[in-house]
Amino acid sequence: MSDSTHIIVIGAGLIGLSCADSLSRRGTKVTVIERKKTPVRGTSYSNSGMIHPSQSYDWSKDLIDAAHPAKDVYELAKRSAKLLAENIKYLGLKHRPEGCVQIFDSLDIAIQQARNYEALGVECHVTEGDARSLNHPALIFPNDMSGNARLYGETLALDLVGRGVDFNFGVTSIKLSPSSSGWYIDIKTKALQVDHVIIAAGIWSHDLLEPLGLSLPLEAVKGCAINFRHPESALPALPIMDMASRSALTIFDDIIRISGGWDVDDTAILMDRWHVLAPDIMSTLSEPISTWSASRPVSKLGRPFIAESPLPKLWVNTGQGHMGWTLSAGSGDLMARMILDDYQDDRFAFPD
């Protein structure tokens, strides 16, 4: 493909930024369009900070139901985690490679879920409870990692600017129409003719596809976050996920965060749950310094959509759900190979 190829990426979240990153590294001209005024202001703004290939199954179901799509997502997640670790080092950031913890209501459940994870190919270790898991029965995932997703995204965006990627923020109106060689895109302030368009706008991807007669089986699943200052008490070193509530407690350099939930935007629900799980920590916390809520783009098929649409040269990259940061680098890399190398991969195809 010619170096003069111009590609528009709609969305400056972690998925869109990763598409721009992979394309820019190949010498492609990239323009990013974002409806917010700055990058990474969607679901990754107050992310739980985990890069967890272990969680590659459909969170709307029990793990025991996970099958073929989960295996495909897990393979992508493992490659993505490797690319993320390389990017984090390149950007001069840091991350914790030691792993993540998932706690359960009973040891029997932990043991059963360990079998399910192992069937998926995920390495995990059962513990009856120790300091890492706040003394709850748990699984330790040694190949997971953690870091600061928002800082990663903001730093990546600055690096992309330095590499010549053009950003257009605060764009609330976008009109797409096909041309003989690609696509016209009208954003009121300017009109562009480009070779390809990538829609990586999370749940709002649906609004961009609908006028073109296209739709994706996406569901907006709410989640929230509560941020606290560090208390004067011992804190766990690794992020802790709670299987039952689909939420997590994560320690960052400057804050402690409780985040996640499945279709939950009431922070009181998460607070109540973690008062049960971690009473010693919760009793030392002051009032929250901030709260956050957003909707994840969750695929109803249990896997993301990373593919060309039925309309030529119009691509989609969305539906990663709770795996947004984990899958971001791998999703961007896969998209770049599909567009620039005509690489074929039907695992994440646009649905019929």
Side-chain angles (χ1 to χ4, degrees):
M1 191 170 289
S2 169
D3 287 343
S4 63
T5 300
H6 186 188
I7 298 177
I8 290 280
V9 177
I10 302 177
L14 291 176
I15 302 298
L17 292 174
S18 295
C19 290
D21 178 35
S22 294
L23 292 166
S24 174
R25 290 176 185 271
R26 299 283 298 274
T28 305
K29 181 180 179 181
V30 180
T31 298
V32 178
I33 296 173
E34 168 59 45
R35 67 191 196 100
K36 302 285 188 179
K37 294 182 179 180
T38 51
V40 201
R41 286 303 182 270
T43 54
S44 296
Y45 181 80
S46 205
N47 186 284
S48 62
M50 288 179 285
I51 300 169
H52 48 24
S54 67
Q55 302 303 296
S56 295
Y57 62 96
D58 184 350
W59 266 12
S60 69
K61 300 179 175 64
D62 291 336
L63 178 58
I64 198 168
D65 295 329
H68 181 66
K71 293 182 183 296
D72 291 337
V73 177
Y74 181 52
E75 290 305 313
L76 178 62
K78 288 191 294 182
R79 173 168 173 75
S80 188
K82 180 180 178 180
L83 293 173
L84 278 170
E86 293 171 356
N87 267 6
I88 288 169
K89 182 178 180 180
Y90 160 75
L91 294 170
L93 303 175
K94 61 182 180 179
H95 68 289
R96 291 175 175 171
E98 299 94 346
C100 295
V101 180
Q102 188 171 51
I103 59 178
F104 299 86
D105 289 335
S106 74
L107 183 59
D108 286 344
I109 296 174
I111 292 171
Q112 178 59 53
Q113 296 293 40
R115 296 191 188 102
N116 295 328
Y117 277 115
E118 288 164 0
L120 190 58
V122 176
E123 181 182 353
C124 60
H125 310 300
V126 178
T127 173
E128 293 185 29
D130 56 30
R132 294 171 298 176
S133 65
L134 305 177
N135 295 313
H136 294 283
L139 299 180
I140 310 297
F141 301 104
N143 297 321
D144 287 353
M145 303 180 290
S146 59
N148 189 321
R150 185 178 77 185
L151 179 60
Y152 171 82
E154 291 171 342
T155 307
L156 178 57
L158 287 173
D159 186 71
L160 289 170
V161 170
R163 284 191 259 153
V165 173
D166 182 32
F167 282 82
N168 294 264
F169 292 109
V171 178
T172 57
S173 175
I174 298 174
K175 182 179 180 181
L176 294 167
S177 54
S179 71
S180 58
S181 59
W183 285 84
Y184 291 112
I185 183 164
D186 188 339
I187 58 174
K188 286 194 173 180
T189 58
K190 66 177 80 171
L192 300 169
Q193 182 171 0
V194 299
D195 298 287
H196 298 266
V197 173
I198 300 171
I199 296 180
I203 195 63
W204 295 280
S205 299
H206 173 271
D207 297 334
L208 296 167
L209 292 169
E210 190 174 40
L212 300 171
L214 300 174
S215 64
L216 286 174
L218 283 175
E219 182 179 4
V221 177
K222 297 174 182 177
C224 56
I226 316 110
N227 297 313
F228 304 89
R229 290 185 177 88
H230 281 184
E232 296 296 327
S233 62
L235 296 172
L238 301 180
I240 300 175
M241 298 175 277
D242 172 37
M243 177 71 171
S245 65
R246 302 292 199 265
S247 65
L249 183 149
T250 314
I251 309 302
F252 294 90
D253 288 342
D254 54 342
I255 60 170
I256 179 172
R257 176 175 296 156
I258 295 171
S259 59
W262 192 257
D263 211 17
V264 172
D265 62 358
D266 182 354
T267 57
I269 293 174
L270 294 191
M271 290 275 283
D272 290 346
R273 177 62 176 168
W274 283 93
H275 271 290
V276 173
L277 296 174
D280 292 343
I281 292 176
M282 297 300 291
S283 65
T284 66
L285 299 179
S286 58
E287 289 297 310
I289 56 176
S290 64
T291 59
W292 178 261
S293 65
S295 293
R296 308 179 191 95
V298 174
S299 165
K300 295 181 181 180
L301 301 186
R303 49 83 170 176
F305 307 107
I306 309 169
E308 189 172 20
S309 79
L311 300 178
K313 299 186 177 182
L314 177 69
W315 303 77
V316 295
N317 201 331
T318 188
Q320 284 81 0
H322 66 282
M323 295 288 286
W325 191 21
T326 302
L327 292 176
S328 60
S331 297
D333 171 70
L334 179 56
M335 182 114 286
R337 287 187 289 147
M338 285 178 165
I339 296 174
L340 301 181
D341 302 332
D342 196 28
Y343 178 75
Q344 302 298 311
D345 190 333
D346 295 330
R347 295 175 299 168
F348 311 110
F350 200 100
D352 296 332

